[in-house]
Amino acid sequence: MVIDKENFKNDYIEKLQNMFAEDAVDASRLHQYFALGALIKDYCSKAWIKTNKEYGENKGKQVYYFSMEFLVGRLLNSNLVNLGIKDICVEAFGDLGINWIEIEDIELDAGLGNGGLGRLAACFLDSMASTGIPGHGCGIRYKYGLFKQKIENGYQVEVPDNWLKNGNVWEIRKENKAVEVRFAGDVYLKEENGETKVVHENYQSVRAVPYDTPIKGYKNNTVNTLRLWSAETMEEDFDFSSFSQGNYAKAGEDKYSVEAISQVLYPDDSYEKGRLLRLKQEYFFVSAGMQSIMKSYKKMDLSLQDFHKHVAVQINDTHPAVAVAELMRLLMDEEGLNWDDAYAITTATMAYTNHTIMAEALEKWPVDMFKKLLPRIYMITEEINRRFCNEIYHKYNGNWNKVNKMSIIQDGYIRMAYLAIVGSHSVNGVAKLHTELLKHQELSDFYEFYPEKFNNKTNGITHRRWLLNSNPELANLITETIGGSWIKSPNELHNLMDFAGDKNFQEKTQVIKTNHKIKFSNYVMSNLGTSIDPNSIFDVQVKRMHAYKRQLLNIFNIMNLYNQLRDNPNLDIVPRTFIFGAKASPSYYLAKQTIKLINTLASRINNDPIARDKIKIVFLENYGVSLAEKIIPCADVSEQISTASKEASGTGNMKFMMNGAITIATLDGANVEIFDAVGKENIILFGLTSQQVIEYYENKKYRASDLYDSDIRLNTIVNQLVNGFLHSNKMEFVTIHDSLIPHNDEFFVLKDFDSYVRAQSEIDRLFRQKSTWQQMAIVNIAKSGIFSSDNTIKQYAKEIWKAPAVKIKL
Ligand code: 26Q
């Protein structure tokens, strides 16, 4: 299909007329946006039908990515770019007198995720479609995404994210594909004609209704599907007797409790063990998704024994790990297979990705609760575990200690990571270092038992959203310089290496960066009323607020600079703007206090004549995908400063690099691979290594108070937290203070402080050398292609899923 500007305009005008009986100029912004979305969906629909048909007919491997989170952000721009009609559309809108920027801003982010894990799932969808892998997303259509963050008096305040309030133009409700999900009730076995049958009675039914969103590949004909499930009451379950007796409240109660299942996304690390609703959510979308896969599998008329040859299921962390038992249930109870066959098929189908080594983030469910809510799933889990423990017992000659350590069910809890490992044929970490730590530390018993299951898949990011879309100026310059084939083959960005030393090219990349910085300064002025200098270094740390990510280390460096400036107002430093953006989980007090600390420091420093021309602090409210797209192209410095060993991978690090920021980093997660790619001249490293951190944890020899006593800078800063220097209420930051002293600084902020300060001075020194700096930036862009999620997806497809790409012809 060739769409040129004239027929695009005609199509669009017609769409507005048909949908709203309005013409282009008179229509409201919302209607203009909706008509455009609907038109784009029309443009995708033929290829969408064709893609599904082709997958059904060619009967090749299809991949299902199960995830509690899909942090997709906005879809208007990415759909236009992937269709190849962005320029035509913007020009056409110009002709029609419609302000494009305002249209873009109508769309609300689909914020159906917390952070890295959810955004990774969204990048993967884009890459699967763009590389032609038959891969679909399966998740929950939350009515409310992650809370919106407001800053009031320096504190985070959470506001519901009602992202569906204007409707969602991208989705299609598929009433006819609804399935039933059963909770609780009684399960028993019954003999019938010499066969054992499983009977499940007195259960509560929930209707799962899918909403499908097309995932359009970049300039190909593939349109995959993101299927998100919404919970509704079964019509026959509506309590008509209460209703007709006038007891509306009672009639509505069930409806309310069922709909609660897909009402709201849980913020991470508010992870209080055993939240019933969270478990309901997990089983709800897993059961609905697996049932729907089974249905479309059966339509293809293939033997159930071959299920795993046609279906691959990737589980994104342990949140969908009940999928293991659910597939067993479907194969045995619904399809009549025996245990051994069902088990072989299940493990050959499932694969598990681990995203964390933080012990407190590993999901555990209390047996009592699990059993009551999912009685049949519990029976199956128990049997999987019984057989697994038996195997361990025999392999280790009756070593009960091993059995206890590895048992899926232990001390009254079900350990979901263990269920996922046992029930899958593949277990992967998300960066080289992370996978090594899984193999040799956290999951070493399992690695010893199942070495063949373990593998690494370093994360990636879609260069279409994170370069082509968010930084079109840089993308155009790259295309002018090395041609456009890097867009389909991102590794070709490497050809920019020839231009790293080219003064002319350096100049051009620098102008693009500066223009972004000017634009962003205006945005900050109009939104926050803070004036910032576009010529200052833009030093950016944007990510979830967590102690291990160490926003506090960044703050300590700023406090140190401020203290130096107060001693010597003529201190010679390159002016710097420290930019933060971060949401804290609502129940994570230390994280929320850290936000308050940043804002307190910001108002102090930004208003102090001694400091404000040298350092500025900006805290951006409500950091999310759309804000990331704005800020990342502006960054000179990318802060990736987690305590080594704690950040599984990070993906923000890759986005910044791709936009020409210089990384200041610990050797953690994918920073290690970025370092390997760019070399020591093009990244600024500091701090303890992961091995040193692990040794300290083991030998318990770290004493934060020794550093507090011996380093005058640290002594001053730590005291300033509680001596009234920052806040009239001396208790305001006492939790932060106490996390360091007396609680001995779990994340080595004090230990890495000196090394970090030196690294920051190195940045100051390098930034003064314009050409050197720009050369470093170009090397980073050139080497970033390997971190395209297209590469990651190709590795998953080849090594885990065994799923070849499929070309869709129209
Ligand atoms: C669990 C139980 C109850 C409530 C919430 C949760 C929960 C939700 C989300 C636990 C963890 C998460 C999210 C984890 C996450 O985003 N991890 C990040 O994954 C990225 C992609 O692999 C990595 O790059 C990051 O390093 C990792 O922190």
Side-chain angles (χ1 to χ4, degrees):
M1 178 179 46
V2 188
I3 305 162
D4 64 24
K5 190 171 84 178
E6 286 316 308
N7 55 41
F8 175 84
K9 268 199 269 182
N10 291 336
D11 290 350
Y12 180 66
I13 289 166
E14 198 178 314
K15 195 88 216 169
L16 259 173
Q17 281 171 355
N18 292 343
M19 283 179 82
F20 302 111
E22 287 167 346
D23 61 29
V25 193
D26 295 337
S28 67
R29 293 275 176 272
L30 189 64
H31 286 177
Q32 288 168 340
Y33 162 77
F34 258 85
L36 177 58
L39 179 61
I40 291 169
K41 218 162 52 183
D42 286 357
Y43 286 155
C44 292
S45 62
K46 230 187 184 162
W48 200 5
I49 295 168
K50 188 70 210 270
T51 303
N52 284 326
K53 219 170 149 197
E54 178 65 33
Y55 291 167
E57 283 168 7
N58 102 348
K59 302 185 185 180
K61 193 95 170 240
Q62 290 194 61
V63 179
Y64 298 88
Y65 197 83
F66 275 57
S67 178
M68 283 291 269
E69 308 191 359
F70 286 94
L71 191 45
V72 287
R74 291 172 173 171
L75 284 176
L76 178 59
N77 260 306
S78 60
N79 280 333
L80 285 170
V81 167
N82 287 5
L83 273 164
I85 59 169
K86 169 86 196 268
D87 294 342
I88 287 172
C89 175
V90 174
E91 280 173 33
F93 271 56
D95 291 358
L96 294 169
I98 304 173
N99 181 331
W100 177 248
I101 305 291
E102 286 177 20
I103 298 297
E104 280 181 317
D105 276 340
I106 296 277
E107 182 170 11
L108 299 175
D109 273 38
L112 310 186
N114 272 287
L117 165 149
R119 182 56 232 174
L120 184 74
C123 284
F124 280 4
L125 291 178
D126 185 69
S127 283
M128 287 193 289
S130 296
T131 56
I133 302 296
H136 312 286
C138 178
I140 299 176
R141 181 182 180 268
Y142 300 103
K143 190 165 173 204
Y144 296 93
L146 187 65
F147 65 87
K148 279 207 293 200
Q149 180 193 55
K150 291 241 177 309
I151 300 297
E152 285 175 13
N153 188 26
Y155 296 101
Q156 166 175 299
V157 174
E158 300 93 24
V159 182
D161 167 43
N162 190 3
W163 72 291
L164 289 167
K165 67 172 178 249
N166 298 325
N168 173 6
V169 67
W170 307 115
E171 67 186 11
I172 298 178
R173 179 181 165 98
K174 293 277 163 98
E175 198 65 51
N176 57 333
K177 300 262 167 81
V179 298
E180 181 188 14
V181 177
R182 297 175 173 180
F183 290 101
D186 309 307
V187 175
Y188 59 91
L189 304 179
K190 185 171 92 177
E191 293 294 324
E192 213 178 73
N193 312 326
E195 277 183 49
T196 315
K197 283 241 156 0
V198 178
V199 182
H200 188 182
E201 290 176 343
N202 304 322
Y203 49 81
Q204 290 152 14
S205 287
V206 173
R207 203 163 104 91
V209 184
Y211 286 73
D212 287 356
T213 299
I215 306 295
K216 171 80 185 73
Y218 179 74
K219 293 189 183 171
N220 63 16
N221 295 315
T222 300
V223 183
N224 290 335
T225 301
L226 169 59
R227 175 161 285 182
L228 300 179
W229 298 90
S230 179
E232 299 185 3
T233 32
M234 305 290 287
E235 203 163 304
E236 60 271 26
D237 285 355
F238 189 74
D239 186 352
F240 279 104
S241 77
S242 295
F243 187 79
S244 56
Q245 287 161 28
N247 194 347
Y248 304 124
K250 182 166 184 313
E253 254 169 40
D254 284 352
K255 187 171 151 65
Y256 186 78
S257 83
V258 166
E259 286 172 3
I261 295 174
S262 56
Q263 198 74 5
V264 57
L265 167 81
Y266 273 100
D268 71 355
D269 59 48
S270 62
Y271 176 44
E272 290 155 39
K273 270 164 222 84
R275 290 235 195 155
L276 183 64
L277 186 58
R278 169 88 182 180
L279 183 57
K280 274 190 189 171
Q281 291 184 329
E282 295 184 357
Y283 183 66
F284 166 74
F285 93 97
V286 162
S287 177
M290 293 307 304
Q291 288 184 57
S292 122
I293 292 171
M294 188 57 86
K295 272 193 188 170
S296 50
Y297 183 76
K298 286 168 76 177
K299 274 199 202 136
M300 291 193 290
D301 219 11
L302 297 161
S303 161
L304 273 174
Q305 299 291 341
D306 292 334
F307 186 83
H308 56 287
K309 297 182 185 155
H310 303 272
V311 176
V313 171
Q314 190 71 36
I315 55 180
N316 199 20
D317 217 287
T318 58
H319 319 152
V322 282
V324 170
E326 177 66 1
L327 182 53
M328 289 295 288
R329 183 187 76 78
L330 289 172
L331 291 170
M332 295 190 302
D333 302 1
E334 310 277 325
E335 306 301 333
L337 266 58
N338 65 36
W339 180 278
D340 290 337
D341 288 350
Y343 193 67
I345 294 168
T346 298
T347 50
T349 303
M350 312 293 307
Y352 156 59
T353 305
N354 174 291
H355 295 265
T356 183
I357 56 162
M358 309 269 282
E360 64 271 26
L362 292 178
E363 274 188 304
K364 294 198 274 185
W365 293 108
V367 166
D368 292 343
M369 182 174 139
F370 194 96
K371 198 173 181 173
K372 205 163 152 207
L373 186 72
L374 309 170
R376 178 59 181 149
I377 295 301
Y378 180 70
M379 278 169 93
I380 294 170
T381 306
E382 212 176 23
E383 182 61 14
I384 293 174
N385 190 42
R386 194 185 64 77
R387 291 172 186 238
F388 173 60
C389 288
N390 217 353
E391 275 184 66
I392 306 171
Y393 184 81
H394 284 108
K395 169 149 182 179
Y396 295 105
N397 307 317
N399 179 346
W400 278 107
N401 184 33
K402 268 277 187 211
V403 177
N404 279 333
K405 260 168 57 187
M406 297 174 74
S407 177
I408 298 169
I409 303 171
Q410 187 61 227
D411 299 331
Y413 284 96
I414 305 177
R415 304 191 277 201
M416 302 307 278
Y418 297 2
L419 174 62
I421 297 169
V422 174
S424 301
H425 65 283
S426 165
V427 177
N428 75 282
V430 290
K432 274 186 201 153
L433 172 67
H434 171 58
T435 301
E436 288 308 305
L437 292 174
L438 290 179
K439 289 191 329 197
H440 303 295
Q441 313 262 339
E442 303 304 309
L443 299 175
S444 57
D445 290 324
F446 286 88
Y447 179 56
E448 186 181 293
F449 192 72
Y450 294 129
E452 71 291 348
K453 289 194 185 188
F454 283 74
N455 63 92
N456 175 247
K457 295 286 167 286
T458 299
N459 283 166
I461 57 170
T462 165
H463 60 288
R464 288 166 292 275
R465 179 175 294 259
W466 297 106
L467 177 52
L468 203 54
N469 257 320
S470 60
N471 199 344
E473 299 80 3
L474 181 59
N476 287 338
L477 174 64
I478 293 171
T479 299
E480 275 168 32
T481 311
I482 58 168
S485 54
W486 66 274
I487 301 173
K488 285 256 177 185
S489 313
N491 291 6
E492 287 186 21
L493 282 173
H494 198 270
N495 295 335
L496 286 173
M497 285 304 284
D498 294 344
F499 299 86
D502 178 325
K503 291 275 175 312
N504 182 30
F505 188 69
Q506 290 176 358
E507 178 76 16
K508 286 181 178 164
T509 49
Q510 156 141 37
V511 168
I512 289 170
K513 179 72 71 185
T514 305
N515 286 342
H516 282 301
K517 288 166 75 178
I518 293 170
K519 214 163 116 192
F520 195 75
S521 306
N522 295 334
Y523 171 89
V524 169
M525 189 48 164
S526 50
N527 285 273
L528 296 170
T530 309
S531 91
I532 57 178
D533 174 7
N535 293 313
S536 64
I537 299 176
F538 277 25
D539 180 321
V540 185
Q541 187 173 21
V542 285
K543 48 183 80 248
R544 287 298 295 268
M545 182 62 70
H546 269 278
Y548 85 81
K549 293 181 188 280
R550 298 200 294 192
Q551 281 90 354
L552 195 56
L553 182 57
N554 190 341
I555 296 168
F556 273 26
N557 176 58
I558 303 172
M559 288 178 74
N560 183 49
L561 277 175
Y562 183 46
N563 290 334
Q564 282 180 282
L565 277 168
R566 284 162 21 99
D567 282 348
N568 171 16
N570 297 321
L571 189 75
D572 178 25
I573 57 171
V574 180
R576 231 195 256 221
T577 306
F578 293 95
I579 300 170
F580 293 87
K583 287 181 184 175
S585 204
S587 62
Y588 189 176
Y589 183 73
L590 183 69
K592 291 181 115 172
Q593 282 307 106
T594 309
I595 291 176
K596 173 67 178 169
L597 175 60
I598 295 171
N599 286 313
T600 305
L601 206 58
S603 55
R604 173 71 180 261
I605 292 180
N606 297 353
N607 295 310
D608 184 339
I610 287 185
R612 69 181 173 208
D613 295 330
K614 300 250 170 79
I615 46 182
K616 278 266 161 67
I617 302 177
V618 174
F619 187 92
L620 300 170
E621 201 174 65
N622 201 35
Y623 177 65
V625 175
S626 287
L627 195 49
E629 289 168 19
K630 275 206 178 72
I631 183 69
I632 290 171
C634 305
D636 297 305
V637 176
S638 159
E639 297 274 352
Q640 309 300 336
I641 61 176
S642 53
T643 310
S645 81
K646 296 292 178 183
E647 188 70 271
S649 164
T651 46
N653 45 4
M654 303 169 184
K655 294 164 196 163
F656 280 103
M657 165 196 200
M658 193 173 271
N659 284 272
I662 307 305
T663 311
I664 180 167
T666 49
L667 276 173
D668 198 17
N671 300 345
V672 177
E673 284 147 90
I674 293 178
F675 166 69
D676 288 343
V678 302
K680 65 178 190 321
E681 285 77 32
N682 299 296
I683 185 170
I684 310 296
L685 295 178
F686 73 95
L688 294 175
T689 64
S690 55
Q691 278 319 312
Q692 290 171 322
V693 167
I694 290 164
E695 268 164 40
Y696 272 124
Y697 283 136
E698 279 165 5
N699 68 25
K700 301 197 166 65
K701 284 196 177 142
Y702 177 49
R703 296 276 172 278
S705 56
D706 290 351
L707 291 167
Y708 169 78
D709 291 337
S710 62
D711 187 329
I712 178 75
R713 300 165 303 174
L714 283 171
N715 192 282
T716 308
I717 294 165
V718 172
N719 288 344
Q720 282 171 334
L721 293 173
V722 288
N723 67 8
F725 173 81
L726 284 172
H727 205 277
S728 52
N729 173 8
K730 292 185 181 176
M731 297 306 280
E732 184 70 27
F733 301 118
V734 75
T735 310
I736 299 176
H737 173 275
D738 289 0
S739 77
L740 304 169
I741 294 165
H743 295 313
N744 203 34
D745 185 18
E746 187 183 352
F747 298 106
F748 301 95
V749 173
L750 304 195
K751 181 75 191 164
D752 276 349
F753 173 78
D754 180 64
S755 163
Y756 181 62
V757 169
R758 287 170 196 273
Q760 287 290 22
S761 315
E762 179 64 4
I763 290 211
D764 181 288
R765 189 182 71 79
L766 288 164
F767 193 81
R768 294 167 196 253
Q769 304 167 25
K770 287 283 166 246
S771 170
T772 309
W773 184 269
Q774 219 44 44
Q775 172 158 344
M776 292 167 71
I778 295 164
V779 171
N780 272 273
I781 301 167
K783 303 280 186 174
S784 71
I786 56 170
F787 297 107
S788 164
S789 43
D790 291 8
N791 289 324
T792 317
I793 280 299
K794 284 179 186 159
Q795 287 164 18
Y796 274 89
K798 183 160 173 249
E799 294 162 22
I800 302 179
W801 304 330
K802 319 277 185 244
V806 174
K807 224 186 173 91
I808 307 294
K809 293 191 201 78
L810 279 187

